Coordinates of all heavy atoms in Angstrom, one line a residue:
S249 N 8.3 -18.8 14.1 CA 9.7 -19.2 14.4 C 10.7 -18.2 13.8 O 10.3 -17.3 13.0 CB 9.9 -20.6 13.9 OG 9.6 -20.7 12.5
Q250 N 11.9 -18.4 14.2 CA 12.9 -17.5 13.7 C 13.1 -17.7 12.2 O 13.1 -18.8 11.7 CB 14.2 -17.8 14.4 CG 15.4 -16.9 14.1 CD 15.1 -15.5 14.6 OE1 14.8 -15.3 15.8 NE2 15.3 -14.5 13.8
N251 N 13.4 -16.5 11.5 CA 13.7 -16.6 10.1 C 15.0 -17.4 9.9 O 15.9 -17.5 10.7 CB 13.9 -15.2 9.5 CG 15.1 -14.5 10.0 OD1 15.1 -14.2 11.3 ND2 16.0 -14.1 9.2
M252 N 15.0 -18.0 8.7 CA 16.2 -18.9 8.3 C 16.6 -18.5 6.9 O 15.7 -18.5 6.0 CB 15.8 -20.4 8.4 CG 15.6 -20.8 9.8 SD 17.1 -20.7 10.9 CE 18.1 -22.1 10.2
P253 N 17.8 -18.4 6.5 CA 18.9 -18.2 7.4 C 19.0 -16.9 8.1 O 18.3 -15.9 7.7 CB 20.1 -18.4 6.5 CG 19.7 -17.9 5.2 CD 18.2 -18.3 5.1
N254 N 19.7 -16.8 9.2 CA 19.9 -15.5 9.9 C 21.3 -15.5 10.5 O 21.5 -16.4 11.4 CB 18.8 -15.4 11.0 CG 18.8 -14.0 11.6 OD1 19.2 -13.1 11.0 ND2 18.3 -14.0 12.8
P255 N 22.2 -14.7 10.1 CA 22.1 -13.6 9.1 C 21.8 -14.2 7.7 O 22.0 -15.4 7.4 CB 23.4 -13.0 9.2 CG 24.2 -13.5 10.4 CD 23.5 -14.8 10.7
F256 N 21.3 -13.3 6.8 CA 21.0 -13.7 5.5 C 21.5 -12.8 4.4 O 21.7 -11.6 4.7 CB 19.4 -13.9 5.4 CG 18.7 -12.6 5.3 CD1 18.3 -12.0 4.2 CD2 18.3 -12.0 6.5 CE1 17.6 -10.9 4.1 CE2 17.6 -10.8 6.5 CZ 17.2 -10.2 5.3
N257 N 21.6 -13.3 3.2 CA 21.9 -12.5 2.0 C 21.7 -13.5 0.8 O 22.4 -14.5 0.8 CB 23.3 -12.0 2.0 CG 23.6 -11.2 0.7 OD1 22.7 -10.8 0.0 ND2 24.9 -11.0 0.5
P258 N 20.9 -13.4 -0.1 CA 20.0 -12.2 -0.3 C 18.6 -12.4 0.2 O 17.8 -11.4 0.2 CB 20.0 -12.1 -1.8 CG 20.1 -13.5 -2.3 CD 20.9 -14.2 -1.3
V259 N 18.2 -13.7 0.5 CA 16.8 -13.9 0.9 C 16.7 -14.7 2.1 O 17.6 -15.6 2.4 CB 16.1 -14.7 -0.3 CG1 14.7 -15.2 0.1 CG2 16.1 -14.0 -1.6
T260 N 15.7 -14.4 3.0 CA 15.4 -15.2 4.2 C 13.9 -15.7 4.1 O 13.1 -15.0 3.5 CB 15.7 -14.4 5.4 OG1 15.7 -15.3 6.6 CG2 14.8 -13.2 5.7
T261 N 13.7 -16.8 4.9 CA 12.3 -17.3 4.9 C 11.8 -17.2 6.3 O 12.5 -17.6 7.3 CB 12.3 -18.7 4.5 OG1 12.8 -18.8 3.1 CG2 10.9 -19.3 4.5
I262 N 10.6 -16.7 6.5 CA 9.9 -16.6 7.8 C 8.8 -17.6 7.8 O 7.9 -17.5 6.9 CB 9.4 -15.1 8.0 CG1 10.5 -14.2 8.0 CG2 8.6 -15.1 9.3 CD1 10.1 -12.7 7.9
R263 N 8.9 -18.6 8.7 CA 7.8 -19.6 8.8 C 7.0 -19.2 10.0 O 7.5 -18.8 11.1 CB 8.4 -20.9 8.9 CG 9.1 -21.4 7.7 CD 9.6 -22.8 7.8 NE 10.1 -23.3 6.5 CZ 11.3 -23.3 6.2 NH1 12.3 -22.7 6.9 NH2 11.7 -23.7 5.0
F264 N 5.7 -19.4 9.9 CA 4.8 -19.1 11.0 C 3.5 -20.0 11.0 O 3.2 -20.5 9.9 CB 4.5 -17.6 11.1 CG 3.7 -17.1 9.9 CD1 2.3 -17.0 9.9 CD2 4.4 -16.6 8.8 CE1 1.7 -16.5 8.8 CE2 3.8 -16.1 7.7 CZ 2.4 -16.0 7.7
T265 N 2.9 -20.1 12.1 CA 1.7 -20.8 12.2 C 0.6 -19.8 12.6 O 0.8 -19.0 13.5 CB 1.8 -21.8 13.4 OG1 2.8 -22.7 13.0 CG2 0.5 -22.7 13.5
V266 N -0.6 -19.9 12.0 CA -1.8 -19.2 12.4 C -2.6 -20.1 13.2 O -3.1 -21.2 12.6 CB -2.5 -18.6 11.1 CG1 -3.8 -17.9 11.5 CG2 -1.6 -17.7 10.3
P267 N -2.9 -19.9 14.4 CA -3.6 -20.9 15.3 C -5.1 -21.0 15.0 O -5.7 -22.1 15.2 CB -3.3 -20.4 16.7 CG -3.0 -19.0 16.6 CD -2.3 -18.8 15.2
E268 N -5.7 -19.9 14.5 CA -7.1 -19.9 14.1 C -7.3 -18.9 13.0 O -6.5 -18.0 12.9 CB -8.0 -19.6 15.3 CG -7.7 -18.3 16.0 CD -8.5 -18.1 17.3 OE1 -8.7 -19.1 18.0 OE2 -8.8 -16.9 17.6
E269 N -8.3 -19.1 12.2 CA -8.6 -18.2 11.1 C -8.7 -16.8 11.7 O -9.3 -16.5 12.6 CB -9.9 -18.6 10.5 CG -10.2 -17.8 9.2 CD -11.5 -18.3 8.5 OE1 -11.9 -19.4 8.8 OE2 -11.9 -17.5 7.7
S270 N -7.9 -15.9 11.0 CA -7.8 -14.5 11.5 C -7.2 -13.6 10.5 O -6.6 -14.1 9.5 CB -7.0 -14.4 12.8 OG -5.7 -15.0 12.7
D271 N -7.3 -12.3 10.8 CA -6.5 -11.3 10.0 C -5.1 -11.4 10.5 O -4.8 -11.4 11.7 CB -7.1 -9.9 10.3 CG -8.5 -9.7 9.7 OD1 -8.8 -10.3 8.6 OD2 -9.3 -9.0 10.2
V272 N -4.2 -11.3 9.5 CA -2.7 -11.5 9.7 C -2.0 -10.3 9.0 O -2.3 -10.0 7.9 CB -2.2 -12.9 9.2 CG1 -0.8 -13.0 9.4 CG2 -3.0 -14.0 9.9
D273 N -1.0 -9.8 9.8 CA 0.0 -9.0 9.0 C 1.4 -9.3 9.5 O 1.6 -9.7 10.6 CB -0.3 -7.5 9.2 CG -0.3 -6.9 10.5 OD1 0.6 -7.3 11.3 OD2 -1.2 -6.1 10.9
L274 N 2.3 -9.3 8.6 CA 3.7 -9.5 8.8 C 4.5 -8.3 8.2 O 4.4 -8.1 6.9 CB 4.1 -10.8 8.1 CG 5.5 -11.3 8.2 CD1 6.0 -11.4 9.6 CD2 5.7 -12.6 7.4
I275 N 5.2 -7.6 9.0 CA 5.8 -6.4 8.6 C 7.2 -6.3 9.1 O 7.5 -6.7 10.2 CB 5.0 -5.2 9.2 CG1 3.5 -5.2 8.7 CG2 5.7 -3.8 8.8 CD1 2.6 -4.1 9.4
V276 N 8.1 -5.8 8.3 CA 9.5 -5.7 8.6 C 9.7 -4.2 9.0 O 9.3 -3.3 8.3 CB 10.4 -6.0 7.4 CG1 11.9 -5.8 7.7 CG2 10.2 -7.5 7.0
Y277 N 10.5 -4.0 10.1 CA 10.8 -2.7 10.6 C 12.3 -2.5 10.7 O 13.0 -3.5 10.9 CB 10.2 -2.4 12.0 CG 8.7 -2.4 12.0 CD1 8.0 -3.6 12.2 CD2 8.0 -1.3 11.8 CE1 6.6 -3.6 12.2 CE2 6.6 -1.2 11.8 CZ 5.9 -2.4 12.1 OH 4.6 -2.4 12.1
D278 N 12.8 -1.3 10.6 CA 14.2 -1.0 10.9 C 14.5 -0.8 12.4 O 13.4 -0.8 13.1 CB 14.8 0.1 10.0 CG 14.2 1.5 10.3 OD1 13.6 1.6 11.4 OD2 14.4 2.4 9.5
V279 N 15.7 -0.6 12.8 CA 16.0 -0.4 14.2 C 15.4 0.9 14.8 O 15.1 1.0 16.0 CB 17.5 -0.4 14.6 CG1 18.0 -1.8 14.3 CG2 18.2 0.6 13.7
A280 N 15.0 1.8 14.0 CA 14.3 3.1 14.4 C 12.8 2.9 14.5 O 12.1 3.8 14.9 CB 14.7 4.2 13.5
G281 N 12.3 1.7 14.1 CA 10.9 1.4 14.2 C 10.1 1.9 13.0 O 8.9 1.8 13.0
R282 N 10.8 2.2 11.9 CA 10.1 2.6 10.7 C 9.8 1.4 9.9 O 10.6 0.5 9.8 CB 11.0 3.5 9.9 CG 11.3 4.9 10.5 CD 12.2 5.7 9.7 NE 13.5 5.0 9.6 CZ 14.6 5.6 9.9 NH1 14.7 6.8 10.4 NH2 15.8 4.9 9.8
R283 N 8.5 1.4 9.3 CA 8.1 0.2 8.5 C 9.0 0.2 7.2 O 9.1 1.2 6.6 CB 6.7 0.3 8.1 CG 6.2 -0.9 7.4 CD 4.7 -0.9 7.0 NE 4.6 0.1 5.9 CZ 3.6 0.9 5.8 NH1 2.7 1.0 6.8 NH2 3.6 1.7 4.8
V284 N 9.6 -0.9 6.9 CA 10.4 -1.1 5.8 C 9.6 -1.8 4.6 O 9.6 -1.4 3.5 CB 11.6 -2.0 6.1 CG1 12.4 -2.3 4.9 CG2 12.5 -1.2 7.1
K285 N 8.9 -2.9 5.0 CA 8.2 -3.7 4.0 C 7.0 -4.4 4.7 O 7.2 -5.1 5.7 CB 9.1 -4.6 3.3 CG 8.4 -5.4 2.2 CD 9.3 -5.7 1.0 CE 8.5 -6.3 -0.1 NZ 9.3 -6.4 -1.3
T286 N 5.9 -4.4 4.0 CA 4.8 -5.2 4.4 C 4.9 -6.5 3.6 O 4.7 -6.5 2.4 CB 3.4 -4.5 4.2 OG1 3.4 -3.3 5.0 CG2 2.2 -5.4 4.6
L287 N 5.1 -7.6 4.3 CA 5.3 -8.9 3.6 C 3.9 -9.6 3.4 O 3.7 -10.3 2.4 CB 6.2 -9.8 4.4 CG 7.6 -9.3 4.6 CD1 8.4 -10.2 5.5 CD2 8.3 -9.2 3.2
F288 N 3.0 -9.4 4.3 CA 1.7 -9.9 4.2 C 0.7 -9.1 5.0 O 1.0 -8.7 6.1 CB 1.6 -11.4 4.6 CG 0.2 -12.0 4.4 CD1 -0.1 -12.5 3.1 CD2 -0.7 -12.0 5.4 CE1 -1.3 -13.0 2.9 CE2 -2.0 -12.5 5.1 CZ -2.3 -13.1 3.9
N289 N -0.5 -8.9 4.4 CA -1.6 -8.2 5.1 C -2.9 -8.8 4.5 O -3.2 -8.5 3.4 CB -1.5 -6.7 5.0 CG -2.6 -6.0 5.7 OD1 -3.4 -6.6 6.4 ND2 -2.6 -4.7 5.6
G290 N -3.6 -9.6 5.3 CA -4.8 -10.3 4.8 C -5.4 -11.2 5.8 O -5.0 -11.2 7.0
H291 N -6.3 -12.0 5.3 CA -7.0 -13.0 6.1 C -6.5 -14.4 5.8 O -6.4 -14.8 4.6 CB -8.5 -12.9 5.8 CG -9.3 -13.6 6.8 ND1 -9.6 -13.0 8.1 CD2 -9.9 -14.8 6.8 CE1 -10.4 -13.8 8.7 NE2 -10.6 -14.9 8.0
L292 N -6.1 -15.2 6.8 CA -5.6 -16.6 6.6 C -6.4 -17.5 7.5 O -6.8 -17.2 8.6 CB -4.1 -16.7 7.0 CG -3.2 -15.9 6.1 CD1 -1.8 -16.0 6.7 CD2 -3.2 -16.5 4.7
K293 N -6.5 -18.8 7.0 CA -7.1 -19.9 7.7 C -6.0 -20.5 8.7 O -4.8 -20.2 8.4 CB -7.6 -21.0 6.8 CG -8.7 -20.4 6.0 CD -9.3 -21.6 5.1 CE -10.3 -21.0 4.2 NZ -11.6 -21.6 4.3
A294 N -6.4 -21.2 9.7 CA -5.4 -21.8 10.6 C -4.6 -22.8 9.7 O -5.1 -23.7 9.1 CB -6.2 -22.6 11.7
D295 N -3.3 -22.6 9.8 CA -2.3 -23.5 9.0 C -0.9 -23.0 9.2 O -0.7 -22.0 9.9 CB -2.7 -23.4 7.5 CG -2.3 -24.7 6.8 OD1 -1.5 -25.5 7.4 OD2 -2.8 -24.9 5.7
F296 N 0.0 -23.7 8.6 CA 1.4 -23.3 8.6 C 1.7 -22.5 7.3 O 1.2 -22.8 6.2 CB 2.4 -24.5 8.6 CG 2.2 -25.3 9.9 CD1 1.4 -26.5 9.9 CD2 2.9 -25.0 11.0 CE1 1.2 -27.2 11.0 CE2 2.7 -25.7 12.2 CZ 1.9 -26.8 12.2
Y297 N 2.5 -21.5 7.4 CA 2.8 -20.6 6.2 C 4.3 -20.3 6.2 O 5.0 -20.4 7.2 CB 2.0 -19.3 6.3 CG 0.5 -19.5 6.2 CD1 -0.2 -19.7 7.3 CD2 -0.1 -19.6 5.0 CE1 -1.6 -19.9 7.3 CE2 -1.5 -19.8 4.9 CZ -2.2 -20.0 6.0 OH -3.5 -20.2 5.9
R298 N 4.7 -19.8 5.1 CA 6.1 -19.3 4.9 C 6.1 -18.1 4.0 O 5.3 -18.1 2.9 CB 7.1 -20.3 4.5 CG 6.9 -20.9 3.2 CD 7.9 -22.0 2.9 NE 8.6 -21.6 1.7 CZ 9.6 -22.2 1.2 NH1 10.0 -23.3 1.7 NH2 10.1 -21.8 0.0
V299 N 6.9 -17.1 4.3 CA 7.0 -15.9 3.5 C 8.5 -15.6 3.3 O 9.2 -15.7 4.3 CB 6.3 -14.7 4.1 CG1 6.5 -13.4 3.3 CG2 4.8 -15.0 4.3
E300 N 8.9 -15.2 2.1 CA 10.3 -14.9 1.9 C 10.4 -13.4 1.8 O 9.5 -12.7 1.3 CB 10.8 -15.4 0.5 CG 10.9 -17.0 0.6 CD 11.6 -17.5 -0.6 OE1 11.7 -16.9 -1.6 OE2 12.1 -18.7 -0.5
W301 N 11.6 -12.9 2.4 CA 11.9 -11.5 2.3 C 13.2 -11.4 1.5 O 14.2 -12.0 1.9 CB 12.0 -10.8 3.6 CG 12.3 -9.3 3.5 CD1 11.7 -8.4 2.6 CD2 13.2 -8.5 4.2 NE1 12.2 -7.1 2.8 CE2 13.1 -7.2 3.8 CE3 14.1 -8.8 5.3 CZ2 13.9 -6.2 4.3 CZ3 14.9 -7.8 5.8 CH2 14.8 -6.5 5.3
D302 N 13.3 -10.5 0.5 CA 14.5 -10.4 -0.3 C 15.3 -9.2 0.0 O 16.2 -8.8 -0.9 CB 14.1 -10.4 -1.8 CG 13.2 -9.3 -2.2 OD1 12.8 -8.4 -1.3 OD2 12.8 -9.2 -3.4
G303 N 15.1 -8.6 1.1 CA 15.9 -7.4 1.5 C 15.6 -6.1 0.8 O 16.4 -5.3 0.6
T304 N 14.3 -6.0 0.3 CA 13.9 -4.8 -0.4 C 12.8 -4.2 0.5 O 12.2 -4.8 1.3 CB 13.3 -5.1 -1.8 OG1 12.2 -6.0 -1.7 CG2 14.4 -5.7 -2.7
N305 N 12.6 -2.8 0.2 CA 11.5 -2.1 0.9 C 10.2 -2.1 0.1 O 10.2 -2.8 -1.0 CB 12.0 -0.7 1.2 CG 12.3 0.1 0.0 OD1 11.8 -0.1 -1.1 ND2 13.1 1.2 0.2
D306 N 9.2 -1.5 0.6 CA 7.9 -1.4 -0.2 C 8.0 -0.8 -1.5 O 7.2 -1.1 -2.4 CB 6.9 -0.6 0.6 CG 6.3 -1.5 1.8 OD1 6.2 -2.7 1.6 OD2 5.8 -0.9 2.8
N307 N 9.1 0.0 -1.9 CA 9.3 0.5 -3.2 C 10.1 -0.4 -4.1 O 10.3 0.0 -5.2 CB 10.0 1.9 -3.1 CG 9.1 2.9 -2.3 OD1 7.9 2.9 -2.4 ND2 9.8 3.8 -1.6
G308 N 10.6 -1.5 -3.6 CA 11.3 -2.5 -4.4 C 12.8 -2.2 -4.4 O 13.6 -2.9 -5.1
S309 N 13.3 -1.1 -3.6 CA 14.7 -0.8 -3.5 C 15.4 -1.7 -2.5 O 14.8 -2.0 -1.4 CB 14.9 0.6 -3.1 OG 14.3 1.5 -4.1
S310 N 16.6 -2.1 -2.7 CA 17.4 -2.8 -1.7 C 17.7 -2.0 -0.5 O 17.9 -0.8 -0.6 CB 18.7 -3.3 -2.3 OG 18.5 -4.2 -3.4
V311 N 17.5 -2.6 0.7 CA 17.8 -1.9 1.9 C 19.3 -2.2 2.3 O 19.9 -3.1 1.8 CB 16.8 -2.3 3.1 CG1 15.4 -1.9 2.7 CG2 16.9 -3.8 3.4
A312 N 19.8 -1.4 3.2 CA 21.2 -1.5 3.7 C 21.4 -2.7 4.6 O 20.4 -3.2 5.2 CB 21.6 -0.2 4.4
S313 N 22.6 -3.2 4.7 CA 23.0 -4.2 5.7 C 22.6 -3.7 7.1 O 22.7 -2.5 7.3 CB 24.5 -4.5 5.7 OG 24.8 -5.1 4.5
G314 N 22.2 -4.6 8.0 CA 21.9 -4.2 9.3 C 20.9 -5.1 10.0 O 20.5 -6.1 9.5
V315 N 20.4 -4.6 11.1 CA 19.5 -5.3 11.9 C 18.1 -4.9 11.6 O 17.8 -3.7 11.5 CB 19.7 -5.1 13.5 CG1 18.7 -5.8 14.3 CG2 21.1 -5.7 13.8
Y316 N 17.2 -5.8 11.4 CA 15.8 -5.5 11.1 C 14.9 -6.4 12.0 O 15.4 -7.4 12.6 CB 15.4 -5.8 9.7 CG 16.2 -4.9 8.7 CD1 17.4 -5.2 8.3 CD2 15.6 -3.7 8.3 CE1 18.1 -4.3 7.5 CE2 16.2 -2.8 7.5 CZ 17.5 -3.1 7.1 OH 18.2 -2.2 6.3
F317 N 13.7 -6.0 12.3 CA 12.7 -6.7 13.1 C 11.5 -7.1 12.2 O 11.1 -6.3 11.4 CB 12.3 -5.9 14.3 CG 13.4 -5.7 15.2 CD1 14.3 -4.5 15.0 CD2 13.8 -6.5 16.2 CE1 15.3 -4.2 15.8 CE2 14.9 -6.3 17.1 CZ 15.6 -5.1 16.9
Y318 N 10.9 -8.2 12.4 CA 9.7 -8.5 11.8 C 8.6 -8.7 12.9 O 8.9 -9.3 13.9 CB 9.7 -9.6 10.8 CG 10.1 -10.9 11.3 CD1 9.2 -11.9 11.8 CD2 11.5 -11.3 11.3 CE1 9.6 -13.2 12.1 CE2 11.9 -12.6 11.7 CZ 11.0 -13.5 12.2 OH 11.4 -14.7 12.6
R319 N 7.4 -8.2 12.7 CA 6.3 -8.3 13.6 C 5.2 -9.1 12.9 O 4.8 -8.7 11.9 CB 5.8 -7.0 14.1 CG 4.8 -7.2 15.2 CD 4.0 -5.9 15.4 NE 3.1 -5.8 14.3 CZ 2.3 -4.7 14.0 NH1 2.4 -3.7 14.9 NH2 1.6 -4.7 13.0
L320 N 4.8 -10.2 13.5 CA 3.7 -11.0 13.0 C 2.5 -10.8 14.0 O 2.6 -11.0 15.2 CB 4.1 -12.5 13.0 CG 3.0 -13.4 12.6 CD1 2.5 -13.2 11.2 CD2 3.4 -14.9 12.8
R321 N 1.4 -10.4 13.4 CA 0.2 -10.2 14.2 C -0.9 -11.2 13.6 O -1.2 -11.1 12.4 CB -0.4 -8.8 14.2 CG -1.6 -8.6 15.0 CD -2.3 -7.3 14.9 NE -2.6 -7.0 13.5 CZ -3.7 -7.4 12.8 NH1 -4.6 -8.2 13.5 NH2 -3.9 -7.1 11.6
A322 N -1.4 -12.1 14.4 CA -2.4 -13.0 13.9 C -3.5 -13.0 14.9 O -3.4 -13.6 16.0 CB -1.9 -14.4 13.7
G323 N -4.6 -12.2 14.6 CA -5.7 -12.0 15.6 C -5.1 -11.4 16.8 O -4.6 -10.3 16.7
K324 N -5.3 -11.9 18.0 CA -4.8 -11.3 19.2 C -3.3 -11.7 19.5 O -2.7 -11.1 20.5 CB -5.6 -11.9 20.4 CG -7.1 -11.5 20.3 CD -7.9 -12.1 21.5 CE -9.4 -12.0 21.2 NZ -10.1 -12.8 22.2
N325 N -2.8 -12.6 18.7 CA -1.4 -13.0 19.0 C -0.4 -12.0 18.2 O -0.6 -11.8 17.0 CB -1.1 -14.4 18.5 CG -2.1 -15.4 19.2 OD1 -2.1 -15.4 20.4 ND2 -2.8 -16.2 18.4
V326 N 0.6 -11.6 18.9 CA 1.7 -10.7 18.3 C 3.0 -11.2 18.8 O 3.2 -11.5 19.9 CB 1.4 -9.2 18.7 CG1 2.6 -8.4 18.1 CG2 0.1 -8.7 18.4
M327 N 3.9 -11.3 17.8 CA 5.3 -11.6 18.2 C 6.3 -10.9 17.2 O 5.9 -10.5 16.1 CB 5.6 -13.1 18.1 CG 5.4 -13.8 16.7 SD 6.8 -14.9 16.5 CE 7.6 -14.1 15.0
S328 N 7.5 -10.7 17.8 CA 8.5 -10.0 17.0 C 9.8 -10.8 17.1 O 10.1 -11.3 18.2 CB 8.7 -8.6 17.6 OG 7.6 -7.8 17.4
K329 N 10.6 -10.7 16.1 CA 11.9 -11.4 16.0 C 12.9 -10.5 15.3 O 12.5 -9.7 14.5 CB 11.8 -12.7 15.3 CG 10.9 -13.7 15.9 CD 11.6 -14.5 17.0 CE 10.7 -15.6 17.5 NZ 11.3 -16.4 18.5
K330 N 14.2 -10.7 15.6 CA 15.3 -9.9 15.0 C 15.9 -10.7 13.9 O 16.1 -11.9 14.1 CB 16.3 -9.5 16.2 CG 17.5 -8.8 15.7 CD 18.3 -8.2 16.8 CE 19.1 -9.4 17.4 NZ 20.1 -8.9 18.4
M331 N 16.3 -10.0 12.9 CA 17.1 -10.6 11.8 C 18.1 -9.7 11.3 O 18.1 -8.5 11.5 CB 16.2 -11.1 10.6 CG 15.4 -10.0 10.1 SD 14.2 -10.7 8.9 CE 13.1 -9.4 8.6
V332 N 19.2 -10.3 10.7 CA 20.3 -9.5 10.3 C 20.6 -9.8 8.8 O 20.7 -10.9 8.3 CB 21.7 -9.9 11.1 CG1 22.8 -9.1 10.6 CG2 21.4 -9.7 12.6
L333 N 20.6 -8.6 8.1 CA 20.9 -8.6 6.6 C 22.4 -8.3 6.4 O 22.8 -7.2 6.9 CB 20.0 -7.7 5.9 CG 20.3 -7.4 4.4 CD1 20.2 -8.7 3.6 CD2 19.3 -6.4 3.8
L334 N 23.1 -9.1 5.8 CA 24.5 -8.8 5.5 C 24.7 -8.8 4.0 O 24.5 -9.8 3.3 CB 25.4 -9.9 6.0 CG 25.5 -10.1 7.5 CD1 26.4 -11.2 7.9 CD2 26.0 -8.8 8.2
R335 N 25.0 -7.6 3.5 CA 25.2 -7.5 2.0 C 26.7 -7.7 1.6 O 27.6 -7.5 2.3 CB 24.8 -6.1 1.6 CG 23.4 -5.8 1.8 CD 22.7 -5.8 0.4 NE 21.3 -5.5 0.6 CZ 20.3 -6.1 0.0 NH1 20.5 -7.2 -0.7 NH2 19.1 -5.8 0.2

């Protein structure tokens, strides 16, 4: 589902469902398609989950205000959503 809140500052929550046990990754990208932060990469059982993003990159530095995308891949299922960070 869509992250909440959106726009956000300083933290947003991404809720998602894994329909069947599978490898899952949840990654944030900037508008140029560069990976900003890997929020999750591992194996999950079928269930509901939530992950928070605090507007930092993989190095722990704060990212700039702007539009970001997150991509969730769970097995064969892939979806992307847009989110806005306002500092």
Side-chain angles (χ1 to χ4, degrees):
S249 55
Q250 185 66 51
N251 65 298
M252 293 294 289
N254 190 26
F256 72 97
N257 179 15
V259 175
T260 190
T261 301
I262 300 168
R263 291 183 172 92
F264 60 94
T265 302
V266 176
E268 59 188 32
E269 187 173 344
S270 58
D271 291 326
V272 174
D273 61 45
L274 179 59
I275 301 172
V276 177
Y277 296 90
D278 65 16
V279 292
R282 295 177 296 238
R283 186 180 72 224
V284 173
K285 182 145 188 174
T286 300
L287 297 175
F288 184 83
N289 183 2
H291 195 81
L292 292 175
K293 296 183 185 240
D295 207 344
F296 297 97
Y297 296 91
R298 63 181 239 178
V299 175
E300 290 188 343
W301 183 44
D302 60 0
T304 61
N305 62 21
D306 280 331
N307 297 326
S309 300
S310 294
V311 299
S313 294
V315 175
Y316 294 87
F317 297 89
Y318 59 94
R319 186 195 73 186
L320 173 66
R321 183 189 56 81
K324 299 176 190 171
N325 301 307
V326 179
M327 64 134 241
S328 296
K329 298 278 187 179
K330 179 171 70 171
M331 58 186 164
V332 179
L333 169 60
L334 295 176
R335 294 254 184 228

